[in-house]
Amino acid sequence: MANVVVVGAQWGDEGKGKIVDWLSERADVIARFQGGHNAGHTLVIEGKVYKLSLLPSGIVRGGKLSVIGNGVVLDPWHLVSEIAKLRDQGVEISPDNLLIAENTSLILPVHGELDRAREAQNSVAKIGTTGRGIGPAYEDKVGRRAIRVADLADEATLDLRIGRLLTHHNALRAGLGLDPVDAVRLKSDLMAIAPQVLPYAAPVWKVLTEARRAGKRILFEGAQGALLDVDFGTYPYVTSSNTLAGQAATGTGLGPTAIDFVLGIVKAYTTRVGEGPFPAELHDADGERLGTRGHEFGTVTGRKRRCGWFDAVLVRQTCATSGVTGIALTKLDVLDGFETLKICVGYDLDGKRLDYLPTAAEAQARCTPIYEELEGWSESTEGARSWADLPGAAVKYVRRIEELIQCPVALLSTSPERDDTILVTDPFSD
């Protein structure tokens, strides 16, 4: 049985929620492997809308095991809140269908406070974080002072972890003009939430290994997008984790040999939330039209997304860094009615043509797009479920994208509804 990794191949918001849900019906296990509750996945199932930030998308489907891997940073209070919200929508959640890696690092109130304080003081060049403490939590993880899920089960260990954590944070807070953290209150809050989190704790690496040996299909679900990767994204305007497909191995403990297919989710145009370079961004009526037709507002932040034409340079680059086997092209229907479409096929940097995005932030900001124009189509593609349902110009557009990014289309999405999907290559096929 094949195991599939799903990653966003742009700046996020590519429609991963729908595609993961579409695939999860055929998977046995769905595992989140990085990020935190800064993700935003919207699922539409039989007309009912589910919005997830932390829980794997498979949680809304019965008979599936959902897993939060060690590569995730977990806000325990948000976890409990999101579980309660889904239960109110009729979703059954218990340790029978949700497990959390014991070695998952926690996001604490101190992390969110630090995140927001830094962003408020950084008036020169804001990063554009969600302010939810994701970055500071990852800092503590690599700084070896994090509190992890397993620590909640042992009071003596928790005391040691809190002491080490606050030695660092209270010094930082003093520099930012914040009051020191009350260690007694923090411990009390953690001890109070622990009974609601610990029942889900498990050696996830072992569970996944056994599932793989039993021939179970595992779907690895990423958050954010490849261009927000802390190493290969538009640094420093990135998230604080590795968002590429390789993180599925280290973020769950299953190992790279378990990955059989990498599916990159790609929007038929380009969007970005927050700060940072965006060579193909549009500041005209076409950009407004894309945003309006595509309902481009962040699921988590509610912020308006910046919009632009499809950037084949960036997607070719992310397909390479994530080892993408095939892409799922989403929101093709948003392009209906454009007389002319453009695709970014290169950049001009001080008179030199580039076929990749340079690493230096200053050079990225100076890149201007080189466009290729294609004929648009007036017919509707919304709801198309076969190639025969698509206008000829739409098929040509998709085929040109494949050529430019050097990667085939495996799935084509033509509306938010999960069944409005054209299957070209089955990612779960051996």
Side-chain angles (χ1 to χ4, degrees), residues 278-300:
F278 185 169
E281 183 175 9
L282 294 172
H283 301 281
D284 58 11
D286 285 336
E288 286 295 323
R289 185 177 177 183
L290 288 171
T292 300
R293 293 203 60 191
H295 307 290
E296 296 298 350
F297 294 90
T299 301
V300 173

Side-chain angles (χ1 to χ4, degrees), residues 217-363:
R217 287 176 167 174
I218 303 172
L219 183 63
F220 299 91
E221 178 183 7
Q224 292 84 46
L227 292 170
L228 294 176
D229 184 87
V230 71
D231 288 313
F232 289 95
T234 48
Y235 191 91
Y237 303 99
V238 294
T239 193
S240 298
S241 61
N242 287 112
T243 60
L244 303 183
Q247 178 64 18
T250 53
T252 60
L254 194 52
T257 56
I259 299 172
D260 300 303
F261 193 104
V262 177
L263 183 68
I265 314 300
V266 180
K267 210 175 266 185
Y269 49 101
T270 312
T271 63
R272 177 168 198 169
V273 170
E275 308 298 325
F278 185 169
E281 183 175 9
L282 294 172
H283 301 281
D284 58 11
D286 285 336
E288 286 295 323
R289 185 177 177 183
L290 288 171
T292 300
R293 293 203 60 191
H295 307 290
E296 296 298 350
F297 294 90
T299 301
V300 173
T301 64
R303 290 181 290 183
K304 185 177 180 180
R305 296 176 186 139
R306 301 153 62 190
C307 297
W309 296 119
F310 186 85
D311 192 329
V313 181
L314 289 179
V315 176
R316 182 171 62 246
Q317 191 165 322
T318 57
C319 283
T321 55
S322 265
V324 173
T325 314
I327 67 166
L329 190 66
T330 67
K331 290 200 167 185
L332 183 67
D333 54 301
V334 173
L335 301 181
D336 293 352
F338 280 89
E339 291 185 9
T340 302
L341 301 171
K342 295 182 181 180
I343 297 178
C344 177
V345 296
Y347 303 131
D348 182 282
L349 178 60
D350 303 331
K352 181 181 178 180
R353 180 165 179 154
L354 299 181
D355 61 357
Y356 68 98
L357 186 68
T359 299
E362 188 268 339

Side-chain angles (χ1 to χ4, degrees), residues 36-344:
H37 62 304
N38 55 341
H41 293 169
T42 300
L43 311 180
V44 181
I45 303 173
E46 296 179 355
K48 199 167 186 178
V49 178
Y50 302 92
K51 294 194 175 184
L52 309 177
S53 294
L54 176 63
L55 295 173
S57 296
I59 197 69
V60 300
R61 297 208 161 273
K64 313 292 180 182
L65 174 62
S66 290
V67 168
I68 295 176
N70 56 277
V72 174
V73 283
L74 178 84
D75 183 322
W77 296 276
H78 180 89
L79 171 74
V80 170
S81 173
E82 193 166 315
I83 288 174
K85 183 178 178 180
L86 288 177
R87 282 175 173 162
D88 287 343
Q89 291 186 276
V91 179
E92 295 184 9
I93 302 176
S94 74
D96 291 330
N97 67 341
L98 175 65
L99 296 178
I100 301 170
E102 297 170 318
N103 52 338
T104 299
S105 296
L106 298 181
I107 300 174
L108 307 174
V110 65
H111 294 129
E113 292 167 8
L114 177 60
D115 206 357
R116 294 185 291 273
R118 283 173 170 171
E119 192 77 348
Q121 292 196 3
N122 192 10
S123 59
V124 177
K126 293 182 181 295
I127 300 298
T129 74
T130 60
R132 298 192 171 195
I134 311 297
Y138 275 116
E139 289 177 37
D140 283 343
K141 177 179 178 176
V142 299
R144 294 168 292 181
R145 53 181 172 266
I147 296 173
R148 306 198 294 180
V149 170
D151 299 330
L152 298 177
D154 185 86
E155 189 172 350
T157 298
L158 189 58
D159 286 333
L160 292 173
R161 297 284 189 267
I162 290 174
R164 179 174 173 81
L165 179 84
L166 295 189
T167 297
H168 173 80
H169 274 273
N170 282 336
L172 276 180
R173 292 170 70 89
L176 291 168
L178 301 175
D179 293 333
V181 176
D182 185 334
V184 174
R185 180 177 177 180
L186 176 59
K187 179 184 175 181
S188 175
D189 290 344
L190 286 170
M191 294 296 289
I193 201 73
Q196 300 179 73
V197 176
L198 287 173
Y200 300 100
V204 157
W205 66 269
K206 185 174 183 294
V207 172
L208 291 178
T209 298
E210 292 171 352
R212 185 189 178 203
R213 287 174 178 167
K216 302 292 186 181
R217 287 176 167 174
I218 303 172
L219 183 63
F220 299 91
E221 178 183 7
Q224 292 84 46
L227 292 170
L228 294 176
D229 184 87
V230 71
D231 288 313
F232 289 95
T234 48
Y235 191 91
Y237 303 99
V238 294
T239 193
S240 298
S241 61
N242 287 112
T243 60
L244 303 183
Q247 178 64 18
T250 53
T252 60
L254 194 52
T257 56
I259 299 172
D260 300 303
F261 193 104
V262 177
L263 183 68
I265 314 300
V266 180
K267 210 175 266 185
Y269 49 101
T270 312
T271 63
R272 177 168 198 169
V273 170
E275 308 298 325
F278 185 169
E281 183 175 9
L282 294 172
H283 301 281
D284 58 11
D286 285 336
E288 286 295 323
R289 185 177 177 183
L290 288 171
T292 300
R293 293 203 60 191
H295 307 290
E296 296 298 350
F297 294 90
T299 301
V300 173
T301 64
R303 290 181 290 183
K304 185 177 180 180
R305 296 176 186 139
R306 301 153 62 190
C307 297
W309 296 119
F310 186 85
D311 192 329
V313 181
L314 289 179
V315 176
R316 182 171 62 246
Q317 191 165 322
T318 57
C319 283
T321 55
S322 265
V324 173
T325 314
I327 67 166
L329 190 66
T330 67
K331 290 200 167 185
L332 183 67
D333 54 301
V334 173
L335 301 181
D336 293 352
F338 280 89
E339 291 185 9
T340 302
L341 301 171
K342 295 182 181 180
I343 297 178
C344 177

